Amino acid sequence: MKRVEVAAAVLRRDDGAVLLGQRAEGTFCPGYWEFPGGKVEPGETPAQALVRELAEELEIAVAPEDVLPWVVREHAYAHAHVRLHFFRIGRWSGEPRARVHAALAWVRPPGMTVAPLLPANGPVWKFLALPERMLVSGVAAMLEAGESLAAALERQEAALVRARVLGPVLVQVREPVALAEALVRRLRPHLGPEDLLVLNGEVDEARALGTGLHLPQRRLESLSRRPELPWVGASVHEASALRRAEALALDYAVLGPVRPTRSHPGMAALGWRGFEEIARGAAIPVYAIGGLGPADLEDARRAGAHGVAGIRAWWS
């Protein structure tokens, strides 16, 4: 089967809306909606191809440094096997115009106001509902440090309220089930429709709490299929574990540590270069973790991360 390399853009406005284009009559899959982009020509990198395609298709200019790597997906159509390099773009000059598409639409994930979407783009649309900031809970650590349960829960609640001022969050609750239940009850009233909540635990516990599921790497390696929950992610520390998360069609992975941390004292830090080497070309969004906080988000994006996850930096 013919193999085609394609570069695709996730152009996102400040309000969170993403640009989609409707394929014109006389083209492959007319009437379907897609992310703007096109084929990678000989001698081009996917990023270079995307800059060219956006100028030709939409009459907008994008600086090379604003083309941020994200995920790479593969899809077998009847006519070709397509490898799509998705890039996130938050800055450009000019107003997008439909030069090759039948129409353009700004749509805010996770909702969808146009249809149908090209099959290869479906999983990517779900990924766009993932917030860029993951907050990992720390009640157990606070209790070990001598804080009362009431004080620890109050600190976590206050920190979540502060964090949400900056935008949507993905909260990973990693306490034992009894503490997790108390924390979820405390946090849930402060979560909006764009926030997500996952439990680092077992499938049945997550179902009982009405949350998504986060898997530690040792649990990930023992699974033969994806748990049946709307949102499932996992912690990974090397490329083989990330490939496992991809094979199980998980929604995200958390890779680290990027910097030395107290929570993983014997584990070598990856650094941004090591993180990028493992995360490059991943088929699912990858969060960076390990000594990171809100100030590291831009570096994380440039290394190909979907966002940053943290414990102490978020809850202190």
Side-chain angles (χ1 to χ4, degrees), residues 80 93 129 159-160 189 197 215 246 271 310:
S93 59
L160 174 61
L197 184 64
L215 302 165
E246 293 171 333

Side-chain angles (χ1 to χ4, degrees), residues 157-243:
E157 182 180 17
L160 174 61
V161 171
R162 290 195 303 271
R164 287 197 72 253
V165 172
L166 300 176
V169 294
L170 168 55
V171 179
Q172 181 196 147
V173 174
R174 62 173 189 152
E175 273 65 39
V177 65
L179 278 178
E181 290 176 0
L183 182 57
V184 168
R185 285 196 301 269
R186 193 70 176 258
L187 299 182
R188 185 162 267 149
H190 300 286
L191 297 174
E194 295 182 341
D195 301 312
L196 296 175
L197 184 64
V198 296
L199 175 71
N200 190 323
E202 298 297 325
V203 175
D204 291 343
E205 296 169 355
R207 287 200 183 105
L209 288 175
T211 69
L213 179 67
H214 184 91
L215 302 165
Q217 182 170 306
R218 64 183 181 279
R219 184 77 176 91
L220 168 69
E221 293 169 343
S222 69
L223 292 180
S224 59
R225 60 187 177 89
R226 174 195 165 106
E228 295 182 3
L229 288 166
W231 291 99
V232 184
S235 293
V236 301
H237 303 295
E238 62 268 335
S240 60
L242 179 55
R243 301 290 86 80

